[in-house]
Amino acid sequence: TSWPGDVLSKTDEIAGYDVYTATFTGAHTSCIFNNNNNGQQTDDLTVENGKYYEANTNTWYDDKATAEAALATPIPDETVYLINTGNWSKVMIHTWNGVGGTAWPGVEMTPTGETIEGYAVYSYTAKQGGQANLLFQESADVNKTGDLEWEAGKYYAPLKNEWYDTKEAAAEALAAPIE
């Protein structure tokens, strides 16, 4: 098909998730699932005839019963944090290369009400395994970080261009002079 591909038909539901079906004619070995070229897509996949693909965990299930059993347990959420060391008026995140990515320029992050060394902390939560890359910014291309890898549960400080495993580690690093 030509990009972004054919629209799939909703044919079923498994564990509260919609199931869409694609039928191919001829020999096809690869596919990509996407949301009409709006920033969310899977990696290149090898076609698994008659199987069920679940994008959040990048898993093929052999049959409906196996998919139902696996998906009955909800996928946990994971959160990333930004320490607003730039005192941005708006704190945004843009995510991609995962399922559930954001459309450009991203979405506003949620203030947590906490501070680290006087800087406000913001959070963004997504489904586990759903994100691969991100960047933080004040608005489209204003005070933008470089492209980063998703670091679940960690704190990012643009001033230091660094991820920290804990609030305590971030506070210690931010209390130290910039080198």
PDB file of all heavy atoms in Angstrom, residues 133-165:
ATOM      1  N   ASN A 133      11.286   7.458  22.561  1.00  0.00           N
ATOM      2  CA  ASN A 133      12.034   8.707  22.503  1.00  0.00           C
ATOM      3  C   ASN A 133      11.161   9.870  22.937  1.00  0.00           C
ATOM      4  O   ASN A 133       9.943   9.813  22.846  1.00  0.00           O
ATOM      5  CB  ASN A 133      12.532   8.965  21.075  1.00  0.00           C
ATOM      6  CG  ASN A 133      13.431   7.871  20.586  1.00  0.00           C
ATOM      7  OD1 ASN A 133      12.998   7.012  19.837  1.00  0.00           O
ATOM      8  ND2 ASN A 133      14.675   7.883  21.008  1.00  0.00           N
ATOM      9  N   LEU A 134      11.845  10.944  23.381  1.00  0.00           N
ATOM     10  CA  LEU A 134      11.126  12.137  23.814  1.00  0.00           C
ATOM     11  C   LEU A 134      12.030  13.341  23.740  1.00  0.00           C
ATOM     12  O   LEU A 134      13.246  13.221  23.596  1.00  0.00           O
ATOM     13  CB  LEU A 134      10.600  11.962  25.247  1.00  0.00           C
ATOM     14  CG  LEU A 134      11.643  11.789  26.357  1.00  0.00           C
ATOM     15  CD1 LEU A 134      12.027  13.135  26.951  1.00  0.00           C
ATOM     16  CD2 LEU A 134      11.100  10.897  27.442  1.00  0.00           C
ATOM     17  N   LEU A 135      11.400  14.485  23.817  1.00  0.00           N
ATOM     18  CA  LEU A 135      12.117  15.728  24.068  1.00  0.00           C
ATOM     19  C   LEU A 135      11.204  16.605  24.896  1.00  0.00           C
ATOM     20  O   LEU A 135       9.984  16.450  24.874  1.00  0.00           O
ATOM     21  CB  LEU A 135      12.565  16.430  22.776  1.00  0.00           C
ATOM     22  CG  LEU A 135      11.521  16.893  21.773  1.00  0.00           C
ATOM     23  CD1 LEU A 135      10.893  18.220  22.160  1.00  0.00           C
ATOM     24  CD2 LEU A 135      12.182  17.034  20.418  1.00  0.00           C
ATOM     25  N   PHE A 136      11.818  17.479  25.673  1.00  0.00           N
ATOM     26  CA  PHE A 136      11.080  18.448  26.483  1.00  0.00           C
ATOM     27  C   PHE A 136      11.270  19.808  25.842  1.00  0.00           C
ATOM     28  O   PHE A 136      12.322  20.093  25.268  1.00  0.00           O
ATOM     29  CB  PHE A 136      11.632  18.493  27.909  1.00  0.00           C
ATOM     30  CG  PHE A 136      11.551  17.190  28.655  1.00  0.00           C
ATOM     31  CD1 PHE A 136      12.689  16.428  28.875  1.00  0.00           C
ATOM     32  CD2 PHE A 136      10.340  16.729  29.154  1.00  0.00           C
ATOM     33  CE1 PHE A 136      12.622  15.235  29.572  1.00  0.00           C
ATOM     34  CE2 PHE A 136      10.255  15.541  29.854  1.00  0.00           C
ATOM     35  CZ  PHE A 136      11.394  14.786  30.069  1.00  0.00           C
ATOM     36  N   GLN A 137      10.243  20.672  25.967  1.00  0.00           N
ATOM     37  CA  GLN A 137      10.364  22.022  25.427  1.00  0.00           C
ATOM     38  C   GLN A 137       9.345  22.940  26.073  1.00  0.00           C
ATOM     39  O   GLN A 137       8.372  22.492  26.672  1.00  0.00           O
ATOM     40  CB  GLN A 137      10.203  22.024  23.915  1.00  0.00           C
ATOM     41  CG  GLN A 137       8.887  21.489  23.416  1.00  0.00           C
ATOM     42  CD  GLN A 137       8.907  21.344  21.905  1.00  0.00           C
ATOM     43  OE1 GLN A 137       9.748  21.894  21.217  1.00  0.00           O
ATOM     44  NE2 GLN A 137       7.961  20.605  21.378  1.00  0.00           N
ATOM     45  N   GLU A 138       9.617  24.242  25.938  1.00  0.00           N
ATOM     46  CA  GLU A 138       8.685  25.237  26.470  1.00  0.00           C
ATOM     47  C   GLU A 138       7.506  25.414  25.515  1.00  0.00           C
ATOM     48  O   GLU A 138       6.373  25.549  25.932  1.00  0.00           O
ATOM     49  CB  GLU A 138       9.398  26.568  26.702  1.00  0.00           C
ATOM     50  CG  GLU A 138       8.553  27.581  27.400  1.00  0.00           C
ATOM     51  CD  GLU A 138       9.354  28.787  27.852  1.00  0.00           C
ATOM     52  OE1 GLU A 138      10.558  28.912  27.533  1.00  0.00           O
ATOM     53  OE2 GLU A 138       8.768  29.635  28.542  1.00  0.00           O
ATOM     54  N   SER A 139       7.778  25.429  24.231  1.00  0.00           N
ATOM     55  CA  SER A 139       6.763  25.434  23.178  1.00  0.00           C
ATOM     56  C   SER A 139       7.478  24.963  21.917  1.00  0.00           C
ATOM     57  O   SER A 139       8.666  24.658  21.963  1.00  0.00           O
ATOM     58  CB  SER A 139       6.140  26.816  23.010  1.00  0.00           C
ATOM     59  OG  SER A 139       7.117  27.761  22.649  1.00  0.00           O
ATOM     60  N   ALA A 140       6.783  24.909  20.802  1.00  0.00           N
ATOM     61  CA  ALA A 140       7.382  24.374  19.580  1.00  0.00           C
ATOM     62  C   ALA A 140       8.739  25.010  19.290  1.00  0.00           C
ATOM     63  O   ALA A 140       8.816  26.190  18.976  1.00  0.00           O
ATOM     64  CB  ALA A 140       6.436  24.558  18.400  1.00  0.00           C
ATOM     65  N   ASP A 141       9.778  24.233  19.455  1.00  0.00           N
ATOM     66  CA  ASP A 141      11.164  24.636  19.165  1.00  0.00           C
ATOM     67  C   ASP A 141      11.699  25.773  20.024  1.00  0.00           C
ATOM     68  O   ASP A 141      12.676  26.420  19.669  1.00  0.00           O
ATOM     69  CB  ASP A 141      11.336  24.976  17.679  1.00  0.00           C
ATOM     70  CG  ASP A 141      11.170  23.756  16.792  1.00  0.00           C
ATOM     71  OD1 ASP A 141      11.643  22.669  17.194  1.00  0.00           O
ATOM     72  OD2 ASP A 141      10.567  23.869  15.718  1.00  0.00           O
ATOM     73  N   VAL A 142      11.080  26.058  21.169  1.00  0.00           N
ATOM     74  CA  VAL A 142      11.575  27.076  22.096  1.00  0.00           C
ATOM     75  C   VAL A 142      12.093  26.359  23.342  1.00  0.00           C
ATOM     76  O   VAL A 142      11.382  25.572  23.948  1.00  0.00           O
ATOM     77  CB  VAL A 142      10.465  28.080  22.473  1.00  0.00           C
ATOM     78  CG1 VAL A 142      10.945  29.048  23.540  1.00  0.00           C
ATOM     79  CG2 VAL A 142       9.982  28.827  21.234  1.00  0.00           C
ATOM     80  N   ASN A 143      13.342  26.655  23.705  1.00  0.00           N
ATOM     81  CA  ASN A 143      13.988  26.016  24.858  1.00  0.00           C
ATOM     82  C   ASN A 143      13.848  24.499  24.805  1.00  0.00           C
ATOM     83  O   ASN A 143      13.473  23.853  25.771  1.00  0.00           O
ATOM     84  CB  ASN A 143      13.430  26.557  26.171  1.00  0.00           C
ATOM     85  CG  ASN A 143      13.806  27.998  26.384  1.00  0.00           C
ATOM     86  OD1 ASN A 143      14.906  28.415  26.042  1.00  0.00           O
ATOM     87  ND2 ASN A 143      12.900  28.774  26.933  1.00  0.00           N
ATOM     88  N   LYS A 144      14.158  23.941  23.665  1.00  0.00           N
ATOM     89  CA  LYS A 144      13.988  22.511  23.414  1.00  0.00           C
ATOM     90  C   LYS A 144      15.241  21.743  23.808  1.00  0.00           C
ATOM     91  O   LYS A 144      16.356  22.174  23.534  1.00  0.00           O
ATOM     92  CB  LYS A 144      13.689  22.318  21.927  1.00  0.00           C
ATOM     93  CG  LYS A 144      13.469  20.893  21.503  1.00  0.00           C
ATOM     94  CD  LYS A 144      13.023  20.809  20.050  1.00  0.00           C
ATOM     95  CE  LYS A 144      14.166  21.076  19.122  1.00  0.00           C
ATOM     96  NZ  LYS A 144      13.852  20.813  17.726  1.00  0.00           N
ATOM     97  N   THR A 145      15.031  20.592  24.478  1.00  0.00           N
ATOM     98  CA  THR A 145      16.157  19.705  24.762  1.00  0.00           C
ATOM     99  C   THR A 145      16.502  18.943  23.487  1.00  0.00           C
ATOM    100  O   THR A 145      15.756  18.971  22.513  1.00  0.00           O
ATOM    101  CB  THR A 145      15.814  18.674  25.858  1.00  0.00           C
ATOM    102  OG1 THR A 145      14.809  17.779  25.363  1.00  0.00           O
ATOM    103  CG2 THR A 145      15.364  19.344  27.134  1.00  0.00           C
ATOM    104  N   GLY A 146      17.600  18.233  23.514  1.00  0.00           N
ATOM    105  CA  GLY A 146      17.903  17.317  22.426  1.00  0.00           C
ATOM    106  C   GLY A 146      16.971  16.116  22.492  1.00  0.00           C
ATOM    107  O   GLY A 146      16.186  15.966  23.427  1.00  0.00           O
ATOM    108  N   ASP A 147      17.066  15.249  21.500  1.00  0.00           N
ATOM    109  CA  ASP A 147      16.292  14.009  21.503  1.00  0.00           C
ATOM    110  C   ASP A 147      16.823  13.108  22.616  1.00  0.00           C
ATOM    111  O   ASP A 147      18.036  12.913  22.740  1.00  0.00           O
ATOM    112  CB  ASP A 147      16.412  13.292  20.164  1.00  0.00           C
ATOM    113  CG  ASP A 147      15.774  14.081  19.026  1.00  0.00           C
ATOM    114  OD1 ASP A 147      15.096  15.092  19.298  1.00  0.00           O
ATOM    115  OD2 ASP A 147      15.961  13.683  17.863  1.00  0.00           O
ATOM    116  N   LEU A 148      15.912  12.568  23.415  1.00  0.00           N
ATOM    117  CA  LEU A 148      16.275  11.748  24.567  1.00  0.00           C
ATOM    118  C   LEU A 148      15.594  10.387  24.484  1.00  0.00           C
ATOM    119  O   LEU A 148      14.573  10.244  23.817  1.00  0.00           O
ATOM    120  CB  LEU A 148      15.837  12.437  25.863  1.00  0.00           C
ATOM    121  CG  LEU A 148      16.366  13.844  26.104  1.00  0.00           C
ATOM    122  CD1 LEU A 148      15.617  14.503  27.259  1.00  0.00           C
ATOM    123  CD2 LEU A 148      17.861  13.787  26.394  1.00  0.00           C
ATOM    124  N   GLU A 149      16.147   9.412  25.179  1.00  0.00           N
ATOM    125  CA  GLU A 149      15.491   8.118  25.314  1.00  0.00           C
ATOM    126  C   GLU A 149      14.605   8.150  26.548  1.00  0.00           C
ATOM    127  O   GLU A 149      14.945   8.776  27.553  1.00  0.00           O
ATOM    128  CB  GLU A 149      16.531   6.998  25.434  1.00  0.00           C
ATOM    129  CG  GLU A 149      17.276   6.756  24.136  1.00  0.00           C
ATOM    130  CD  GLU A 149      18.201   5.558  24.213  1.00  0.00           C
ATOM    131  OE1 GLU A 149      17.953   4.657  25.053  1.00  0.00           O
ATOM    132  OE2 GLU A 149      19.168   5.533  23.440  1.00  0.00           O
ATOM    133  N   TRP A 150      13.464   7.462  26.472  1.00  0.00           N
ATOM    134  CA  TRP A 150      12.511   7.374  27.583  1.00  0.00           C
ATOM    135  C   TRP A 150      13.210   6.726  28.770  1.00  0.00           C
ATOM    136  O   TRP A 150      13.810   5.665  28.638  1.00  0.00           O
ATOM    137  CB  TRP A 150      11.314   6.544  27.143  1.00  0.00           C
ATOM    138  CG  TRP A 150      10.228   6.453  28.158  1.00  0.00           C
ATOM    139  CD1 TRP A 150      10.112   5.493  29.124  1.00  0.00           C
ATOM    140  CD2 TRP A 150       9.116   7.317  28.332  1.00  0.00           C
ATOM    141  NE1 TRP A 150       8.982   5.717  29.881  1.00  0.00           N
ATOM    142  CE2 TRP A 150       8.347   6.838  29.414  1.00  0.00           C
ATOM    143  CE3 TRP A 150       8.682   8.460  27.669  1.00  0.00           C
ATOM    144  CZ2 TRP A 150       7.183   7.449  29.847  1.00  0.00           C
ATOM    145  CZ3 TRP A 150       7.519   9.070  28.104  1.00  0.00           C
ATOM    146  CH2 TRP A 150       6.789   8.567  29.181  1.00  0.00           C
ATOM    147  N   GLU A 151      13.182   7.356  29.936  1.00  0.00           N
ATOM    148  CA  GLU A 151      13.809   6.849  31.157  1.00  0.00           C
ATOM    149  C   GLU A 151      12.742   6.798  32.252  1.00  0.00           C
ATOM    150  O   GLU A 151      12.606   7.726  33.059  1.00  0.00           O
ATOM    151  CB  GLU A 151      14.965   7.758  31.581  1.00  0.00           C
ATOM    152  CG  GLU A 151      16.106   7.817  30.584  1.00  0.00           C
ATOM    153  CD  GLU A 151      17.051   6.632  30.677  1.00  0.00           C
ATOM    154  OE1 GLU A 151      16.974   5.876  31.664  1.00  0.00           O
ATOM    155  OE2 GLU A 151      17.846   6.460  29.751  1.00  0.00           O
ATOM    156  N   ALA A 152      11.980   5.725  32.277  1.00  0.00           N
ATOM    157  CA  ALA A 152      10.847   5.591  33.195  1.00  0.00           C
ATOM    158  C   ALA A 152      11.263   5.792  34.643  1.00  0.00           C
ATOM    159  O   ALA A 152      12.258   5.235  35.105  1.00  0.00           O
ATOM    160  CB  ALA A 152      10.195   4.226  33.032  1.00  0.00           C
ATOM    161  N   GLY A 153      10.481   6.621  35.350  1.00  0.00           N
ATOM    162  CA  GLY A 153      10.691   6.848  36.776  1.00  0.00           C
ATOM    163  C   GLY A 153      11.813   7.810  37.103  1.00  0.00           C
ATOM    164  O   GLY A 153      12.062   8.098  38.266  1.00  0.00           O
ATOM    165  N   LYS A 154      12.492   8.332  36.096  1.00  0.00           N
ATOM    166  CA  LYS A 154      13.642   9.206  36.343  1.00  0.00           C
ATOM    167  C   LYS A 154      13.275  10.682  36.193  1.00  0.00           C
ATOM    168  O   LYS A 154      12.244  11.042  35.642  1.00  0.00           O
ATOM    169  CB  LYS A 154      14.786   8.844  35.407  1.00  0.00           C
ATOM    170  CG  LYS A 154      15.358   7.459  35.698  1.00  0.00           C
ATOM    171  CD  LYS A 154      16.589   7.191  34.889  1.00  0.00           C
ATOM    172  CE  LYS A 154      17.160   5.822  35.213  1.00  0.00           C
ATOM    173  NZ  LYS A 154      18.384   5.566  34.464  1.00  0.00           N
ATOM    174  N   TYR A 155      14.184  11.528  36.671  1.00  0.00           N
ATOM    175  CA  TYR A 155      14.032  12.986  36.688  1.00  0.00           C
ATOM    176  C   TYR A 155      15.060  13.593  35.741  1.00  0.00           C
ATOM    177  O   TYR A 155      16.246  13.312  35.844  1.00  0.00           O
ATOM    178  CB  TYR A 155      14.272  13.516  38.100  1.00  0.00           C
ATOM    179  CG  TYR A 155      13.226  13.046  39.083  1.00  0.00           C
ATOM    180  CD1 TYR A 155      13.273  11.763  39.610  1.00  0.00           C
ATOM    181  CD2 TYR A 155      12.191  13.880  39.466  1.00  0.00           C
ATOM    182  CE1 TYR A 155      12.306  11.316  40.504  1.00  0.00           C
ATOM    183  CE2 TYR A 155      11.223  13.451  40.359  1.00  0.00           C
ATOM    184  CZ  TYR A 155      11.289  12.166  40.870  1.00  0.00           C
ATOM    185  OH  TYR A 155      10.329  11.731  41.741  1.00  0.00           O
ATOM    186  N   TYR A 156      14.600  14.464  34.835  1.00  0.00           N
ATOM    187  CA  TYR A 156      15.497  15.118  33.893  1.00  0.00           C
ATOM    188  C   TYR A 156      15.623  16.593  34.257  1.00  0.00           C
ATOM    189  O   TYR A 156      14.629  17.269  34.514  1.00  0.00           O
ATOM    190  CB  TYR A 156      14.986  14.994  32.459  1.00  0.00           C
ATOM    191  CG  TYR A 156      15.951  15.555  31.452  1.00  0.00           C
ATOM    192  CD1 TYR A 156      17.059  14.824  31.053  1.00  0.00           C
ATOM    193  CD2 TYR A 156      15.787  16.826  30.924  1.00  0.00           C
ATOM    194  CE1 TYR A 156      17.974  15.330  30.144  1.00  0.00           C
ATOM    195  CE2 TYR A 156      16.686  17.354  30.017  1.00  0.00           C
ATOM    196  CZ  TYR A 156      17.778  16.596  29.640  1.00  0.00           C
ATOM    197  OH  TYR A 156      18.692  17.111  28.746  1.00  0.00           O
ATOM    198  N   ALA A 157      16.867  17.077  34.278  1.00  0.00           N
ATOM    199  CA  ALA A 157      17.144  18.487  34.559  1.00  0.00           C
ATOM    200  C   ALA A 157      17.831  19.097  33.340  1.00  0.00           C
ATOM    201  O   ALA A 157      19.000  18.809  33.078  1.00  0.00           O
ATOM    202  CB  ALA A 157      18.030  18.621  35.792  1.00  0.00           C
ATOM    203  N   PRO A 158      17.122  19.954  32.572  1.00  0.00           N
ATOM    204  CA  PRO A 158      17.743  20.559  31.389  1.00  0.00           C
ATOM    205  C   PRO A 158      19.013  21.350  31.707  1.00  0.00           C
ATOM    206  O   PRO A 158      19.950  21.363  30.912  1.00  0.00           O
ATOM    207  CB  PRO A 158      16.648  21.492  30.852  1.00  0.00           C
ATOM    208  CG  PRO A 158      15.371  20.903  31.349  1.00  0.00           C
ATOM    209  CD  PRO A 158      15.710  20.314  32.689  1.00  0.00           C
ATOM    210  N   LEU A 159      19.064  22.006  32.887  1.00  0.00           N
ATOM    211  CA  LEU A 159      20.235  22.788  33.272  1.00  0.00           C
ATOM    212  C   LEU A 159      21.504  21.937  33.257  1.00  0.00           C
ATOM    213  O   LEU A 159      22.562  22.395  32.849  1.00  0.00           O
ATOM    214  CB  LEU A 159      20.023  23.382  34.670  1.00  0.00           C
ATOM    215  CG  LEU A 159      21.134  24.251  35.236  1.00  0.00           C
ATOM    216  CD1 LEU A 159      21.274  25.526  34.418  1.00  0.00           C
ATOM    217  CD2 LEU A 159      20.852  24.583  36.691  1.00  0.00           C
ATOM    218  N   LYS A 160      21.386  20.693  33.684  1.00  0.00           N
ATOM    219  CA  LYS A 160      22.535  19.781  33.726  1.00  0.00           C
ATOM    220  C   LYS A 160      22.544  18.817  32.540  1.00  0.00           C
ATOM    221  O   LYS A 160      23.502  18.060  32.379  1.00  0.00           O
ATOM    222  CB  LYS A 160      22.510  18.960  35.021  1.00  0.00           C
ATOM    223  CG  LYS A 160      22.610  19.772  36.290  1.00  0.00           C
ATOM    224  CD  LYS A 160      24.032  20.086  36.623  1.00  0.00           C
ATOM    225  CE  LYS A 160      24.133  20.702  38.012  1.00  0.00           C
ATOM    226  NZ  LYS A 160      25.488  20.725  38.493  1.00  0.00           N
ATOM    227  N   ASN A 161      21.446  18.809  31.728  1.00  0.00           N
ATOM    228  CA  ASN A 161      21.323  17.882  30.607  1.00  0.00           C
ATOM    229  C   ASN A 161      21.552  16.446  31.076  1.00  0.00           C
ATOM    230  O   ASN A 161      22.327  15.691  30.503  1.00  0.00           O
ATOM    231  CB  ASN A 161      22.299  18.241  29.479  1.00  0.00           C
ATOM    232  CG  ASN A 161      22.012  17.470  28.210  1.00  0.00           C
ATOM    233  OD1 ASN A 161      20.876  17.094  27.945  1.00  0.00           O
ATOM    234  ND2 ASN A 161      23.051  17.229  27.429  1.00  0.00           N
ATOM    235  N   GLU A 162      20.843  16.083  32.138  1.00  0.00           N
ATOM    236  CA  GLU A 162      21.103  14.803  32.800  1.00  0.00           C
ATOM    237  C   GLU A 162      19.822  14.210  33.383  1.00  0.00           C
ATOM    238  O   GLU A 162      18.946  14.929  33.848  1.00  0.00           O
ATOM    239  CB  GLU A 162      22.116  15.025  33.930  1.00  0.00           C
ATOM    240  CG  GLU A 162      22.700  13.787  34.526  1.00  0.00           C
ATOM    241  CD  GLU A 162      23.677  13.091  33.601  1.00  0.00           C
ATOM    242  OE1 GLU A 162      24.509  13.776  32.973  1.00  0.00           O
ATOM    243  OE2 GLU A 162      23.602  11.867  33.503  1.00  0.00           O
ATOM    244  N   TRP A 163      19.718  12.855  33.342  1.00  0.00           N
ATOM    245  CA  TRP A 163      18.667  12.106  34.022  1.00  0.00           C
ATOM    246  C   TRP A 163      19.176  11.706  35.404  1.00  0.00           C
ATOM    247  O   TRP A 163      20.344  11.345  35.553  1.00  0.00           O
ATOM    248  CB  TRP A 163      18.328  10.826  33.270  1.00  0.00           C
ATOM    249  CG  TRP A 163      17.542  10.993  32.011  1.00  0.00           C
ATOM    250  CD1 TRP A 163      18.031  10.958  30.729  1.00  0.00           C
ATOM    251  CD2 TRP A 163      16.139  11.187  31.889  1.00  0.00           C
ATOM    252  NE1 TRP A 163      17.014  11.122  29.829  1.00  0.00           N
ATOM    253  CE2 TRP A 163      15.831  11.260  30.514  1.00  0.00           C
ATOM    254  CE3 TRP A 163      15.098  11.313  32.814  1.00  0.00           C
ATOM    255  CZ2 TRP A 163      14.543  11.447  30.036  1.00  0.00           C
ATOM    256  CZ3 TRP A 163      13.810  11.493  32.328  1.00  0.00           C
ATOM    257  CH2 TRP A 163      13.536  11.561  30.964  1.00  0.00           C
ATOM    258  N   TYR A 164      18.281  11.705  36.397  1.00  0.00           N
ATOM    259  CA  TYR A 164      18.613  11.277  37.757  1.00  0.00           C
ATOM    260  C   TYR A 164      17.634  10.198  38.194  1.00  0.00           C
ATOM    261  O   TYR A 164      16.432  10.295  37.942  1.00  0.00           O
ATOM    262  CB  TYR A 164      18.577  12.470  38.727  1.00  0.00           C
ATOM    263  CG  TYR A 164      19.568  13.525  38.319  1.00  0.00           C
ATOM    264  CD1 TYR A 164      19.147  14.640  37.592  1.00  0.00           C
ATOM    265  CD2 TYR A 164      20.911  13.387  38.605  1.00  0.00           C
ATOM    266  CE1 TYR A 164      20.063  15.599  37.177  1.00  0.00           C
ATOM    267  CE2 TYR A 164      21.830  14.341  38.188  1.00  0.00           C
ATOM    268  CZ  TYR A 164      21.404  15.436  37.477  1.00  0.00           C
ATOM    269  OH  TYR A 164      22.312  16.374  37.049  1.00  0.00           O
ATOM    270  N   ASP A 165      18.160   9.174  38.855  1.00  0.00           N
ATOM    271  CA  ASP A 165      17.348   8.029  39.267  1.00  0.00           C
ATOM    272  C   ASP A 165      16.339   8.369  40.362  1.00  0.00           C
ATOM    273  O   ASP A 165      15.280   7.763  40.439  1.00  0.00           O
ATOM    274  CB  ASP A 165      18.235   6.880  39.763  1.00  0.00           C
ATOM    275  CG  ASP A 165      19.047   6.256  38.635  1.00  0.00           C
ATOM    276  OD1 ASP A 165      18.639   6.357  37.469  1.00  0.00           O
ATOM    277  OD2 ASP A 165      20.096   5.653  38.936  1.00  0.00           O
TER     278      ASP A 165
END
